[in-house]
Amino acid sequence: MMLNVFDDHTDLSFQAARIICDQIKAKPDSVICFASGETPLSAYSLFTTLMMAEQIDYEHFTLIGLDEWVGVPPENHGSCAWFLRTNVINPLNLLPGQYRLFDGMTSDLPGECVAMDEFISERGGLDLIVVGIGMNGHIGFNEPGVSPDLYSHVIELDEITSTVGQKYFKEETRLTKGITLGISHLREAKTAMLLASGERKAPIMKATLEGEISMEVPATIMREHPNGLVLIDQKAASLLTARE
C-alpha cells in the first residue's frame, strides 16, 4: 500500500482524477468501480473534464457502482445511482451497456448480488476500485464485523451509517439496509484507491493506517492490498504518527 498526503482536497481530487484517466488511457476496456459521496465528487468532476479535454477514448470502459441504499429508488437525489448518473454517467454520455448499478428496489436482492458478480466476472474483474471511508471505517456498505470473504451482498446498516447518510436526502429517509460489493472485490481488484479528506476523518484514518488490521475497521484491509493507494489531505492525516 502507498500513502499519499496532499495539501488540500483540491490537490487530492486532481491526483485521483488523473489516476482514473491514466487507467483508461492505459487500458481502454478497463472495469472501474466508483463510490458515491462527498469526498470523490470533485475528483469525478475533474475526471470527466480531463477525459473530454484530452480526448481520451472511453467508449469501451465499464463503470460499476459500488453500492446502493436498499429501498431507495434511483430517481431519489440521495441514491447512489442518482449521484453516479449526475456526476459521471450523464456527463460522459455513457451507453447503457457501459455501466452496471445496483437496483436497491428489486424484490430479488440475492439475485441482484449474483447478477452484479457475474457482470464483473464476465469482464475480467475490476481493474480499479475507488472508495471512500465511513466514520466507522466502512468501505462501501461493508460495515464493522463484515466477513472479508464476501462478494456482492446485502447488509444491515450500522447506526452511524444510517445517521450520517441522512445528509444526502432532502427529507428524513429510513435507511436500514445496503447492497454493496464485498471486501473480496476490493482485495481482487488490480488497483484499489481510497480517498479521505477533512479533520472529521482524521481519527478513522489513524485507526485505518496505524491500528490493528481487523474487520472491525474494514478499511484496514487496504494495508494488505499489493497495489493499494491511499490519498488523503493534510487535515485527514493530522493525527498520523508518520506521514511518509
Side-chain angles (χ1 to χ4, degrees):
M1 186 208 78
M2 181 178 294
L3 172 63
N4 297 273
V5 180
F6 298 88
D7 288 340
D8 53 35
H9 182 69
T10 299
D11 288 346
L12 179 159
S13 298
F14 182 82
Q15 182 61 23
R18 184 75 269 167
I19 289 171
I20 303 171
C21 286
D22 288 348
Q23 172 64 45
I24 296 173
K25 286 175 69 175
K27 188 174 184 288
D29 63 346
S30 290
V31 180
I32 303 177
C33 175
F34 287 71
S36 57
E38 292 178 333
T39 302
L41 180 58
S42 294
Y44 295 164
S45 177
L46 289 164
F47 159 65
T48 57
T49 299
L50 286 171
M51 290 293 286
M52 291 181 281
E54 298 181 9
Q55 298 184 330
I56 299 171
D57 179 10
Y58 56 85
E59 291 185 357
H60 304 289
F61 113 87
T62 301
L63 178 152
I64 303 294
L66 176 62
D67 51 19
E68 185 57 274
W69 309 100
V70 170
V72 174
E75 61 271 17
N76 187 307
H77 288 199
S79 72
C80 302
W82 187 91
F83 177 93
L84 290 175
R85 288 183 186 278
T86 301
N87 297 295
V88 184
I89 295 170
N90 292 344
L92 292 179
N93 292 314
L94 298 185
L95 299 175
Q98 280 189 267
Y99 59 89
R100 178 72 163 80
L101 308 176
F102 279 116
D103 178 3
M105 294 296 291
T106 181
S107 59
D108 183 11
L109 290 170
E112 180 69 2
C113 292
V114 171
M116 176 63 88
D117 290 345
E118 290 179 347
F119 186 89
I120 293 171
S121 179
E122 288 167 358
R123 286 156 181 76
L126 298 175
D127 293 292
L128 171 64
I129 182 170
V130 182
V131 300
I133 181 171
M135 300 298 289
N136 60 2
H138 74 210
I139 287 179
F141 286 138
N142 290 282
E143 302 282 25
V146 70
S147 167
D149 300 322
L150 294 175
Y151 289 90
S152 295
H153 60 281
V154 177
I155 191 167
E156 295 285 339
L157 296 178
D158 188 87
E159 183 178 353
I160 294 175
T161 303
S162 299
T163 300
V164 174
Q166 294 297 327
K167 67 183 178 182
Y168 299 114
F169 296 86
K170 294 181 178 180
E171 55 187 28
E172 187 171 348
T173 303
R174 181 173 170 79
L175 304 172
T176 58
K177 294 182 179 181
I179 183 169
T180 182
L181 296 193
I183 295 297
S184 285
H185 284 115
L186 183 141
R187 293 164 71 181
E188 295 175 9
K190 295 178 181 66
T191 300
M193 180 167 64
L194 184 150
L195 312 177
S197 64
E199 290 181 8
R200 65 193 182 95
K201 292 294 177 72
I204 195 59
M205 287 313 303
K206 182 175 179 62
T208 295
L209 297 175
E210 298 181 353
E212 178 184 356
I213 296 177
S214 164
M215 284 300 97
E216 290 307 309
V217 181
T220 57
I221 200 69
M222 284 291 299
R223 285 158 48 197
E224 295 185 340
H225 198 288
N227 197 26
L229 305 173
V230 175
L231 279 58
I232 59 178
D233 62 11
Q234 290 284 356
K235 291 180 178 179
S238 61
L239 298 181
L240 298 182
T241 302
R243 304 187 191 186
E244 291 79 8

